[in-house]
Amino acid sequence: MATNPILEMTGINKSFGAVHVLHDVDFRVWPGQVTALVGDNGAGKSTLVKCLAGIYGTDSGSVAFEGRPV
């Protein structure tokens, strides 16, 4: 099993005006494992994925793919 995640999002924060949508979110995807992103409506799942895709910029935090910052 790999010791490092293939995708790592650390300390992600995102606000839309006064509404703080993502609060210090950490998310990791390990190679060879099925990963699901689940939560209640309005929990920020779509916002997190849009931040990952570059549709939304993050206010703070970092994203790394295969150990390299992106």
Side-chain angles (χ1 to χ4, degrees), residues 7-62:
L7 171 68
E8 185 170 22
M9 301 177 81
T10 306
I12 302 296
N13 285 282
K14 177 64 181 167
S15 295
F16 295 100
V19 180
H20 198 158
V21 181
L22 300 176
H23 307 266
D24 293 322
V25 174
D26 294 333
F27 182 72
R28 289 171 185 82
V29 177
W30 300 88
Q33 291 186 357
V34 175
T35 303
L37 181 60
V38 297
D40 293 334
N41 289 343
K45 301 175 301 289
S46 295
T47 302
L48 184 66
V49 171
K50 288 178 182 180
C51 287
L52 176 62
I55 296 169
Y56 297 155
T58 59
D59 297 333
S60 63
S62 63

